[in-house]
Amino acid sequence: MADDSIAVVDLDRCQPDRCNYECANFCPPNRTGKDCIVERGDFYGDDEPYDGAPDQIRISEDICLGESCGICVEKCPFDAIEIINLPSELEDEPVHRYGENAFALYGLPVPETGQVTGILGPNGIGKSTAVKMLSGELTPNLGRHDDEPDWDAVLDRFRGTELQNYIERVIDGDVEVARKPQYVDQIPKQFDGNTRDLLERTDERGALDSLVERLNIGPVMDQDIDSISGGELQRVALAATLARDVDFYFLDEITPYLDIGQRMTAARLIRELAEDGDRSMMVVEHDLAILDLLADTLHVTYGEPGAYGVVTDPKSVRNGINEYLKGYLDNENMRIRPNAITFEEHAPRESVKGQTLFEYPDIHKSYGDGEFSLDVDGGTVYESEVLGIVGPNGIGKSTMAKLFAGQLEPDEGELDVDLDIAYKPQYIEIDQPIRVDAFLSSITDEFGSSYWDTEVARPLQLNPIMEQNLTDLSGGERQRVAIAACLSKDADLYLLDEPSAHLDVEQRVQATTAIRRYAENHDATVMVIDHDIYMIDLLADRLMVFDGEPAVHGHASPPQPMRDGMNEFLADLDITFRRDERTGRPRINKPGSQLDRQQKREGEYYYSA
């Protein structure tokens, strides 16, 4: 194989008991008598260790003809093989490779004392591998998985680079690490007790009281961990991580389930801790507005998820995000996406009032003995529009969605919505031991059609997970399946509650595209509840704004033009946005800055005209 290609075999998908080794039988080198694709047991022998089952396949990268052939990729019935041409600019050897035909990582991010280092890129690209190496849990093997080097060899590899001093500290055992996990909904499965018990164990800096107050988690301190919401779990996880007294903090996605105000609070806490003492902070985040505000430097990651990942040298945050959106990395001379992600100056398209889909009156709904109440001002929803819904957590957005979906009855106001409604809830509970393809095919007759594959499966990256069970999916995979299931139903109104949660930037854009195209091609009406300003900006024609006092009373205004709605929403949060001059993307103004003060005086909270 050419030096700039690798072969990757997904051992979770390789199922030799269900195929006839088509990959090996049709491989051109094999047909000339060479051992390019063989069974792992035949190659390694009985006395040598090997990863995977002995009857699974192994591909010789020395013999393979590379991506220009690709016959094995096409012949494999389970999509278990990838032959990938690597960018020619990469170093000869990766920083780490997990084994024969396994994932390879090129480059490492650089923690900087007193700064927040951001990481931007798709899921499955090696960020967890990088953190294990930066924390000393995993020694980089420099691609020599069969003859692993020691830390001294690793130091030699990085001598003279920005990582040298940091790696010396790792070798000396001088780096302690605190991590916030990506999927906070897994915390109740790992910890049995109440919130106070969990947080008091982590309070090494004596900062717990302040963190509890600023993150507003006092009301759940004496509740069991398994009884609190996703947004509360996220804030508890942040408090538990930031209360530690360590050298290196790694925070994997701080924004899922948090509203914009809570995201701003989390960003301020991280910045304050980075600037107060001899600490390094590293944040993986897919909310570009928050990442832009939070980070001092940025590493862009690219590659093929599950196959190989590349970590760029540090960039300025603005340039890094803009290059990522453009799909072309300037210093690396590397195109990472065929098309740029672009933002319009105003809403994605002018809202044109079409036929009325339904009108709804003023609605009132309350829970228990005055525990929470919601008032919704009457309004009109039009056919073929995408209506964005924004507001703080605990303000009644999901309650309104359930009212419209017929899962709740209002206390006041007759809600006569005689429509077929498809609803994706905020929290996805999947407990069916059924394969993804069987689940989706049970929902729609279009499953497997060219249209469905092009407009739903491909944008949502479903094909690689079709043969997995629903119960084995990650949070992001579950989210994509839930979006597909919602869009696959024959309905008049599609209600999606927080579809961006656990999706990386690329997946959010793809999901946005799928939702938008589905609405346009089917003349369907879509209502989307989300906290990601970028997603709302790309998606929505009009906006419904919620205000009030979280967990006490919520109020929803009628749908209004995008810009008017965003100005109302952001004014309530005292946050201003501007447009990037080069890309048009929304950027949060630094609180108290000259532009922040000017826009507030002009009443232009979303962007300057």
Side-chain angles (χ1 to χ4, degrees):
M1 184 185 286
D3 290 339
D4 58 354
S5 298
I6 62 172
V8 178
V9 178
D10 188 333
L11 298 180
D12 290 332
R13 294 188 198 165
C14 181
Q15 302 180 52
D17 58 330
R18 297 176 57 197
C19 75
N20 296 309
Y21 288 101
E22 288 89 345
C23 57
N25 293 333
F26 285 93
C27 171
N30 275 26
R31 299 181 77 164
T32 63
K34 298 178 181 178
D35 290 331
C36 179
I37 302 180
V38 298
E39 294 184 39
R40 291 187 168 240
D42 292 343
F43 176 77
Y44 288 102
D46 295 333
D47 298 328
E48 296 185 52
Y50 52 85
D51 51 347
D55 56 349
Q56 291 180 309
I57 63 143
R58 174 260 184 197
I59 300 175
S60 170
E61 293 179 344
D62 294 330
I63 301 174
C64 179
L65 300 178
E67 193 173 6
S68 59
C69 171
I71 291 176
C72 59
V73 177
E74 294 298 324
K75 293 296 182 181
C76 177
F78 306 111
D79 294 324
I81 301 173
E82 289 187 86
I83 308 294
I84 300 166
N85 285 342
L86 297 174
S88 59
E89 293 82 358
L90 289 181
E91 303 174 52
D92 291 338
E93 299 295 339
V95 172
H96 191 80
R97 193 167 189 189
Y98 277 101
E100 190 80 27
N101 304 145
F103 179 85
L105 178 66
Y106 295 80
L108 283 175
V110 183
E112 292 283 350
T113 300
Q115 292 195 343
V116 179
T117 302
I119 300 179
L120 172 61
N123 290 326
I125 213 74
K127 60 181 182 286
S128 296
T129 297
V131 172
K132 288 179 182 178
M133 289 186 278
L134 292 174
S135 63
E137 293 179 31
L138 179 67
T139 304
N141 63 24
L142 308 181
R144 291 148 43 188
H145 51 82
D146 53 351
D147 181 24
E148 296 189 2
D150 57 21
W151 275 105
D152 289 336
V154 175
L155 182 59
D156 287 339
R157 165 77 172 268
F158 291 100
R159 199 174 299 281
T161 70
E162 294 175 290
L163 272 170
Q164 177 181 342
N165 291 338
Y166 183 86
I167 289 176
E168 288 174 343
R169 292 178 60 202
V170 171
I171 293 173
D172 293 337
D174 292 338
V175 176
E176 288 188 78
V177 180
R179 296 186 201 169
K180 190 206 78 67
Q182 178 181 13
Y183 298 119
V184 296
D185 52 354
Q186 299 299 309
I187 292 176
K189 298 178 182 178
Q190 302 165 1
F191 178 82
D192 184 19
N194 65 26
T195 304
R196 188 181 304 277
D197 294 336
L198 173 63
L199 292 180
E200 286 181 348
R201 296 182 186 184
T202 67
D203 189 21
E204 299 170 357
R205 298 192 299 114
L208 184 58
D209 290 344
S210 174
L211 289 168
V212 167
E213 179 181 358
R214 294 181 63 179
L215 290 168
N216 193 27
I217 51 180
V220 301
M221 286 294 284
D222 294 311
Q223 291 186 28
D224 289 339
I225 283 290
D226 61 4
S227 70
I228 64 179
S229 70
E232 291 161 345
L233 272 173
Q234 187 70 265
R235 285 175 282 153
V236 167
L238 277 166
T241 306
L242 299 181
R244 298 280 310 281
D245 186 9
V246 298
D247 309 288
F248 176 39
Y249 296 81
F250 177 73
L251 300 115
D252 198 347
E253 293 191 40
I254 63 172
T255 61
Y257 307 124
L258 300 188
D259 61 45
I260 294 178
Q262 293 166 341
R263 295 177 185 201
M264 291 288 289
T265 298
R268 292 189 186 108
L269 287 169
I270 293 167
R271 283 229 54 88
E272 290 169 11
L273 185 55
E275 295 167 358
D276 179 25
D278 188 24
R279 299 181 175 91
S280 301
M281 315 287 290
M282 189 168 287
V283 179
V284 174
E285 183 49 58
H286 302 304
D287 183 329
L288 295 184
I290 293 297
L291 184 63
D292 190 12
L293 179 73
L294 178 62
D296 296 295
T297 59
L298 184 69
H299 293 273
V300 176
T301 61
Y302 64 95
E304 292 285 340
Y308 80 96
V310 183
V311 182
T312 69
D313 290 335
K315 301 173 180 287
S316 73
V317 178
R318 181 189 178 193
N319 287 344
I321 292 177
N322 285 351
E323 289 178 17
Y324 185 83
L325 293 174
K326 186 171 59 175
Y328 180 79
L329 304 178
D330 294 338
N331 291 344
E332 291 76 13
N333 189 27
M334 174 61 57
R335 178 155 293 284
I336 60 173
R337 188 188 314 105
N339 301 309
I341 299 170
T342 58
F343 296 83
E344 302 295 336
E345 279 301 308
H346 302 289
R349 62 176 179 173
E350 290 298 320
S351 179
V352 179
K353 293 183 179 179
Q355 296 279 340
T356 296
L357 180 67
F358 70 94
E359 295 179 350
Y360 57 93
D362 293 349
I363 301 168
H364 176 79
K365 176 67 178 177
S366 60
Y367 288 97
D369 188 16
E371 294 177 7
F372 175 79
S373 63
L374 170 66
D375 287 292
V376 180
D377 293 343
T380 302
V381 177
Y382 298 104
E383 293 181 358
S384 307
E385 75 167 337
V386 179
L387 183 61
I389 302 173
V390 295
N393 279 333
I395 208 73
K397 302 186 301 299
S398 296
T399 295
M400 188 196 70
K402 292 176 182 178
L403 286 167
F404 282 179
Q407 295 187 5
L408 292 174
E409 292 291 333
D411 299 326
E412 297 176 17
E414 186 175 347
L415 190 58
D416 185 19
V417 181
D418 186 19
L419 301 171
D420 290 325
I421 298 175
Y423 174 52
K424 186 204 81 68
Q426 178 181 13
Y427 301 116
I428 302 164
E429 298 292 338
I430 293 180
D431 55 6
Q432 302 178 55
I434 183 175
R435 287 187 1 173
V436 172
D437 51 3
F439 171 67
L440 292 174
S441 65
S442 70
I443 293 173
T444 176
D445 293 335
E446 293 186 6
F447 178 82
S449 67
S450 58
Y451 172 82
W452 192 89
D453 286 342
T454 301
E455 300 299 330
V456 179
R458 193 174 302 166
L460 293 173
Q461 301 173 9
L462 297 180
N463 290 326
I465 61 173
M466 281 295 187
E467 295 191 352
Q468 294 187 35
N469 284 327
L470 293 175
T471 51
D472 296 332
L473 300 180
S474 70
E477 291 166 343
R478 287 200 305 270
Q479 186 71 263
R480 280 146 44 205
V481 170
I483 294 170
C486 181
L487 294 181
S488 296
K489 295 174 182 176
D490 186 13
D492 304 301
L493 176 65
Y494 296 83
L495 269 169
L496 295 104
D497 196 345
E498 205 161 338
S500 73
H502 297 311
L503 300 186
D504 63 39
V505 175
E506 194 83 15
Q507 291 165 346
R508 291 180 190 202
V509 172
Q510 296 279 24
T512 299
T513 301
I515 295 167
R516 178 95 241 173
R517 284 182 180 170
Y518 194 91
E520 293 172 349
N521 293 338
H522 286 73
D523 291 328
T525 301
V526 181
M527 300 176 74
V528 177
I529 301 169
D530 213 282
H531 299 297
D532 188 310
I533 291 295
Y534 280 58
M535 191 171 201
I536 291 293
D537 187 78
L538 285 166
L539 192 59
D541 299 314
R542 294 193 300 156
L543 210 60
M544 182 182 290
V545 179
F546 279 68
D547 58 17
E549 184 178 352
V552 178
H553 176 256
H555 166 257
S557 62
Q560 56 189 302
M562 179 76 170
R563 188 171 174 185
D564 294 343
M566 287 305 299
N567 275 326
E568 177 186 328
F569 174 52
L570 295 175
D572 191 49
L573 292 170
D574 200 33
I575 298 170
T576 60
F577 275 76
R578 68 188 184 279
R579 294 282 182 177
D580 185 84
E581 296 173 357
R582 292 171 55 190
T583 65
R585 65 182 172 90
R587 303 182 68 191
I588 299 175
N589 290 321
K590 185 176 180 180
S593 66
Q594 181 177 349
L595 188 55
D596 179 62
R597 297 195 305 270
Q598 176 185 335
Q599 287 185 217
K600 286 175 180 176
R601 286 195 302 270
E602 296 172 351
E604 294 288 358
Y605 284 76
Y606 194 31
Y607 49 80
S608 295

